[in-house]
Amino acid sequence: MADSKPLPSLDWDPVAAEALLRDVFGVVVDEVIWKGTSASEKVCEWKEPEELKQLLDLELRSQGESKEQILERCQAVIRYSVKTCHPRFFNQLFSGLDPHALAGRIVTESLNTSQYTYEIAPVFVLMEEEVLKKLRALVGWSSGDGVFCPGGSISNMYAVNLARYQRFPDCKQKGLRALPPLALFTTKECHYSIKKGAAFLGLGTDSVRVVKADERGKMIPEDLERQISLAEAEGAVPFLVSATSGTTVLGAFDPLEAIADVCQRRGLWLHVDAAWGGSVLLSQTHRHLLDGIQRADSVAWNPHKLLTAGLQCSALLLRDTTNLLKRCHGSQASYLFQQDKFYDVALDTGDKVVQCGRRVDCLKLWLMWKAQGGQGLERRVNQAFALARYLAEEMKKREGFELVMEPEFVNVCFWFVPPSLRGKQESLDYSERLAKVAPVLKERMVKEGSMMIGYQPHGTRGNFFRLIVANPALTQADMDFLLNELERLGQDL
């Protein structure tokens, strides 16, 4: 890093500001878009925390720095960050880089507006409603409501809050004292935000009743019925069922038609957490996995995952047409939501959410959809399914790879069985030893920077890899590489 010199303020110097931004954008194009997506480059350059702190020089000082130093800062940040757009990044439910979505994100950040009133975000208020209308249509609704949320966890929490308010509207004013003991139902495969949401909303985690799932991780509707009856017998009031379309680990899709039948008979709100699997609705080939979703009351869907819209892009969709979102969350702040404005105040959507300031999350999806079209996005989804199937079939041909189960979605779950454990399945310590393999391989791949794959234990199963096939840039060659790389990294184990 160059010696520190006082930096003249750029606050009122548009020429210097333009020069800085052009240089920064150049760094981004070179280091993130080109190198970050190149299979010949590392996914990450691992450093231990103390060393990384020194390399980044994180301390904030009283004196500013020169443009050259700021560019070096940007280069260092990029160098030591994980390249989630890299074709060998399989670690999360999001990956890849869509240039049109990125363009939308750049425009969004540059305009720096808040999506709460039409007067300061006219383009984005209209755009958000059009995008939400399109997503609702794919669910199967001709009308309804919705909002973009800061992540799928918040979408799920909003759904719980809305279901509670619809059943007990007095709770908005009177709080928990207006409520009897409540019960909501989901499986152990659900996203952890359901339990977090129950705690955050004051229901308590004990209010979450766990419904049994089958061996593939799908909710068993008969046990849902049993758990509802059991909750009622214990004096609780059932109010919501949260089904999952695309579970986080196994990629399971709950049987929505049968679950909807139970909810209809019992008068319960049906929420579908399709944060991960919702984008499958774009595929005519695979959308049957979500059959029955049109019967839900609410749906969470994250286009930033399988569609590669970029973090964050998380929609909560509602079948409701009674303005439930505003009635539940609104507080009519008079300095924002004046009722005597010169335009239709129904366009002020800020009172639909708990937030005040809300970032624009619709432009990146809208721009990507404009560029790709629904057909292009459908091909993207279908390609991910095809590559996941290719990978699973290739694993069956190689010694040392064992599928946890046949993938139904683009989550490929498997064990790598190293040479020393092959043929030893009958050994008493086999499972214990096998569970230690994934953490060792994860450390090796990360420190070499060759790829990133997630792992976890699951129920009675010891650690196994969960590989996500979502990056639209992936090819069969990338699938072959990861198999070869696991064999190389694990050959001495």
Side-chain angles (χ1 to χ4, degrees), residues 226-245:
R226 191 179 74 84
Q227 292 294 338
I228 294 169
S229 296
L230 185 61
E232 289 175 335
E234 294 173 357
V237 178
F239 76 106
L240 173 138
V241 174
S242 181
T244 310
S245 290

Side-chain angles (χ1 to χ4, degrees), residues 383-400:
Q383 177 185 321
F385 272 88
L387 281 176
R389 173 47 47 197
Y390 171 82
L391 179 61
E393 294 304 317
E394 288 301 304
M395 284 182 177
K396 295 174 187 176
K397 300 174 185 177
R398 299 199 187 204
E399 188 179 14

Side-chain angles (χ1 to χ4, degrees), residues 41-90:
E41 300 285 338
K42 289 184 175 183
V43 177
C44 61
E45 187 169 329
W46 176 260
K47 300 293 180 185
E48 294 296 334
E50 288 306 315
E51 182 186 2
L52 186 56
K53 286 179 185 178
Q54 296 301 317
L55 288 167
L56 294 174
D57 185 20
L58 294 171
E59 181 186 350
L60 297 172
R61 301 180 179 89
S62 59
Q63 198 170 70
E65 295 181 343
S66 68
K67 171 188 167 184
E68 290 71 27
Q69 287 174 300
I70 296 303
L71 288 174
E72 288 179 21
R73 300 287 187 200
C74 292
Q75 289 169 326
V77 166
I78 294 169
R79 177 177 179 178
Y80 299 115
S81 290
V82 176
K83 311 306 186 294
T84 64
C85 51
H86 196 284
R88 308 284 160 75
F89 177 82
F90 306 103

Side-chain angles (χ1 to χ4, degrees), residues 187-189 213-219 247 250 252-254 405 458:
T187 71
K188 67 181 188 329
E189 304 293 328
D214 64 19
E215 70 282 352
R216 292 195 59 87
K218 300 171 182 284
M219 184 184 289
T247 59
L250 300 179
F253 288 78
D254 285 341
M405 62 180 62
H458 185 269

Side-chain angles (χ1 to χ4, degrees), residues 172-187:
K172 179 177 179 180
Q173 181 177 349
K174 297 179 180 177
L176 298 180
R177 70 179 185 274
L179 297 172
L182 298 181
L184 62 102
F185 305 85
T186 190
T187 71

